[in-house]
Amino acid sequence: TWQHETTYLVSGIFADPLSYSTDRFDYVLPLDAFIDQNTYQKNWGQSSDPATYVVLKQGAKLDQFNKKIAGFMKTKYAQSTEILFARPYSAGYLYGKYENGLQSGGRIEYVRLFSIIAIFILVIACINFMNLSTAKASKRMKEVGVRKVMGAGRGSLIAQYLGESMLLTLVSLVTALILTELLLPEFNAITGKELSLHFSAELIMAIAGITLFTGFLSGSYPALYLSSFNPVVVLKGRLSAAFGEVWIRKGMVVFQFALSVIFIISVLVVYRQIQFIQHKNLGFNKDNVLNFDMTGISAQNTNSFLSEVKNIPGVVNASSMDHSNLYR
């Protein structure tokens, strides 16, 4: 890239970085190799310095380290307005957006968005389960009545119905994991990603917690509802839904369908936006247009470089843009 010819001694060979690695490279050279051949590295007034990686001592506090280096540029370049700070390497992928030295977003925003959507979908599923369970309550009224007559308390009935809900949630979890494992390769092929399941201790605990919470949430109302039946009234077949119970079920149905409508509208809006981006007339034909970054000697002699490019057979025209300046 820098148009330099230098001989180096190969001191090691490494495997190719994975396709989803954050940092991809063909070779690694010591920083001295660039400092010796690029005078811009010695000018503290330039802002084109390479990425800097720092290994802190064991137990060092990142906040204290950032306070120490915050005004470092002032000691080297009095006119500098830059404030240096360091961040964990592991935070670079999800927390890569900064404004005025403060973290303001990044890919973590997509993680949060999809997490919220997943929570809403899970809530819809729980509400649907509650509605179906209470709708089928008439088939279990006599069971509740007989069990209460035989001495079963409300606590044991609640435990039974919650256990049934937990068991159903566990079966759903196993089914979901099997489908994920089977369909993940196809999903990666469609999206160009390389996602995979790695069952770490944190993931297992998170899955277990979500499963227990979902089973408890979805089974709580049906358990309380079914266990509240009066055995005498149930066995006589005179059970009638109370006014409050009817409104609770209607409210859950309305909430469920409201969320569904919001999701459907959101999908349609996103779909229309994508269609607009793909088919909007940009004012030029983008087919057969190539774009690449110019560095080294070609960037220093832009006009000469463009003249040579235009002489290549098959090239119709060439231009270059550097911020607000356009060269033709």
Side-chain angles (χ1 to χ4, degrees):
T1 302
W2 294 101
Q3 307 293 330
H4 294 304
E5 294 183 3
T6 308
T7 301
Y8 294 100
L9 176 64
V10 177
S11 58
I13 300 176
F14 51 83
D16 291 336
L18 299 176
S19 59
Y20 51 83
S21 297
T22 303
D23 295 322
R24 298 182 55 80
F25 47 85
D26 296 319
Y27 58 89
V28 178
L29 294 176
L31 184 61
D32 294 339
F34 291 92
I35 295 178
D36 293 341
Q37 301 187 37
N38 296 279
T39 56
Y40 81 95
Q41 296 286 354
K42 301 177 182 178
N43 187 354
W44 289 95
Q46 297 291 335
S47 60
S48 56
D49 300 312
T52 302
Y53 299 90
V54 178
V55 178
L56 298 181
K57 293 181 179 180
Q58 189 69 25
K61 302 296 184 181
L62 182 60
D63 294 339
Q64 297 177 359
F65 176 76
N66 283 334
K67 292 179 181 179
K68 292 181 179 180
I69 66 173
F72 177 77
M73 288 298 297
K74 283 285 187 180
T75 63
K76 300 295 182 179
Y77 184 64
Q79 289 76 25
S80 175
T81 58
E82 298 179 7
I83 299 177
L84 299 182
F85 66 94
R87 69 179 182 193
Y89 180 80
S90 58
Y93 185 80
L94 292 179
Y95 303 90
K97 183 179 179 182
Y98 287 82
E99 293 181 1
N100 298 323
L102 299 176
Q103 204 285 321
S104 60
R107 294 184 179 90
I108 188 62
E109 296 177 356
Y110 298 103
V111 176
R112 292 168 179 165
L113 175 62
F114 287 119
S115 298
I116 293 174
I117 294 175
I119 291 173
F120 280 134
I121 293 176
L122 192 61
V123 170
I124 291 176
C126 291
I127 293 175
N128 192 43
F129 178 82
M130 294 179 188
N131 291 331
L132 292 176
S133 298
T134 53
K136 295 181 178 180
S138 59
K139 298 181 179 180
R140 307 194 66 174
M141 287 190 302
K142 291 184 178 181
E143 174 194 344
V144 175
V146 171
R147 291 188 53 137
K148 283 194 172 183
V149 170
M150 298 298 293
R154 188 178 184 184
S156 62
L157 292 175
I158 292 177
Q160 174 192 344
Y161 298 134
L162 285 178
E164 294 175 358
S165 175
M166 293 289 185
L167 180 61
L168 184 59
T169 305
L170 181 61
V171 172
S172 301
L173 171 65
V174 175
T175 304
L177 291 176
I178 293 174
L179 291 176
T180 301
E181 189 68 29
L182 292 176
L183 299 177
L184 196 56
E186 296 297 329
F187 177 82
N188 290 335
I190 294 174
T191 59
K193 304 295 183 180
E194 293 191 18
L195 302 178
S196 60
L197 286 176
H198 297 285
F199 291 98
S200 61
E202 293 80 4
L203 179 60
I204 293 176
M205 292 180 61
I207 292 177
I210 294 174
T211 302
L212 293 176
F213 177 77
T214 302
F216 179 80
L217 178 63
S218 59
S220 57
Y221 178 72
L224 295 174
Y225 177 72
L226 292 172
S227 63
S228 65
F229 291 162
N230 188 317
V232 177
V233 176
V234 167
L235 294 177
K236 288 183 178 181
R238 299 177 181 176
L239 182 66
S240 59
F243 179 78
E245 297 173 355
V246 174
W247 276 104
I248 289 176
R249 291 200 296 269
K250 287 184 177 181
M252 289 192 297
V253 172
V254 171
F255 180 75
Q256 176 185 3
F257 278 98
L259 286 180
S260 301
V261 170
I262 292 174
F263 283 147
I264 292 173
I265 294 176
S266 301
V267 170
L268 292 176
V269 170
V270 172
Y271 173 77
R272 293 295 300 273
Q273 290 291 327
I274 294 176
Q275 289 292 104
F276 175 80
I277 293 173
Q278 292 177 340
H279 298 92
K280 173 63 177 177
N281 183 7
L282 300 178
F284 68 94
N285 185 5
K286 60 181 180 181
D287 295 334
N288 300 323
V289 176
L290 302 179
N291 176 42
F292 57 90
D293 295 329
M294 291 195 306
T295 58
I297 297 177
S298 60
Q300 300 172 7
N301 301 275
T302 305
N303 293 328
S304 300
F305 176 76
L306 292 177
S307 299
E308 293 296 330
V309 171
K310 293 177 182 178
N311 294 330
I312 299 175
V315 175
V316 177
N317 203 346
S319 65
S320 175
M321 177 177 289
D322 180 15
H323 299 290
S324 60
N325 300 320
L326 179 64
Y327 305 98
R328 296 184 180 278

